[in-house]
Amino acid sequence: MTFDGDQRDRYDQLVHFRLPSHPRSVGRAREVLRMNVGLPEEPGETAALLLSELVTNALRHGSPPGREIAVSLHRFDGLLRMEVEDAGDFLPRPRTPGLDDECGRGLALIAALSDDWGVAPRQGPGKRVWVTLKVPAG
């Protein structure tokens, strides 16, 4: 995990959108990704899985009830950076789930499938969790 501050100015922003704190927002985030980024099947499926994990974590652990989350998708020079912002105070940290646990593997999945990931402060309360993934130059 990297704590990078704000390096977003390195990327061309493709899209920024807000989602309600609702389970359907995970599918909506994937839909916006697929419609706006134009990736081939792979790494598109990996990007969709990573974004699903980021949004799910924000909804479960980061976003207080009634608060929206913000999603930004950036693409530049063979990289896709996906960011999810929430108003929660708790920073994500990897866990070691038991064999029967149904939760607790999201950050391990993010670390395994992304080229980099990290947490950064945001304007106002909360944080921004991000991942980068190598993709064909667009």
Side-chain angles (χ1 to χ4, degrees), residues 1-5 90-92 117-121 127-130:
M1 175 177 71
T2 305
F3 189 87
D4 76 333
F90 298 105
L91 296 178
W117 75 279
V119 181
K127 76 254 177 216
R128 176 173 21 98
V129 182
W130 57 270

Side-chain angles (χ1 to χ4, degrees), residues 67-137:
R67 299 290 299 265
E68 293 182 321
I69 61 170
V71 179
S72 297
L73 308 173
H74 310 262
R75 188 172 176 181
F76 179 77
D77 198 27
L79 288 177
L80 172 65
R81 180 173 166 127
M82 300 179 287
E83 304 173 349
V84 176
E85 296 183 12
D86 65 62
D89 294 328
F90 298 105
L91 296 178
R93 60 178 201 264
R95 296 184 350 197
T96 305
L99 292 176
D100 294 332
D101 289 346
E102 294 182 13
C103 298
R105 293 174 181 82
L107 290 179
L109 184 64
I110 287 170
L113 296 178
S114 69
D115 290 294
D116 198 9
W117 75 279
V119 181
R122 72 175 198 152
Q123 295 284 344
K127 76 254 177 216
R128 176 173 21 98
V129 182
W130 57 270
V131 300
T132 57
L133 182 65
K134 291 178 185 162
V135 297

Side-chain angles (χ1 to χ4, degrees), residues 3-75:
F3 189 87
D4 76 333
D6 194 349
Q7 297 178 354
R8 291 181 292 173
D9 58 344
R10 294 180 19 202
Y11 297 86
D12 295 331
Q13 185 167 351
L14 290 177
V15 66
H16 179 80
F17 55 100
R18 300 185 80 71
L19 295 167
S21 184
H22 191 278
R24 283 186 291 214
S25 292
V26 177
R28 177 69 181 133
R30 285 192 308 263
E31 180 182 328
V32 171
L33 171 72
R34 289 184 176 119
M35 290 174 47
N36 290 280
V37 178
L39 295 173
E41 183 175 348
E42 190 52 50
E45 292 302 315
T46 299
L49 178 59
L50 289 168
L51 184 57
S52 293
E53 287 297 326
L54 291 177
V55 172
T56 298
N57 284 349
L59 294 174
R60 279 194 182 157
H61 309 293
S63 187
R67 299 290 299 265
E68 293 182 321
I69 61 170
V71 179
S72 297
L73 308 173
H74 310 262
R75 188 172 176 181

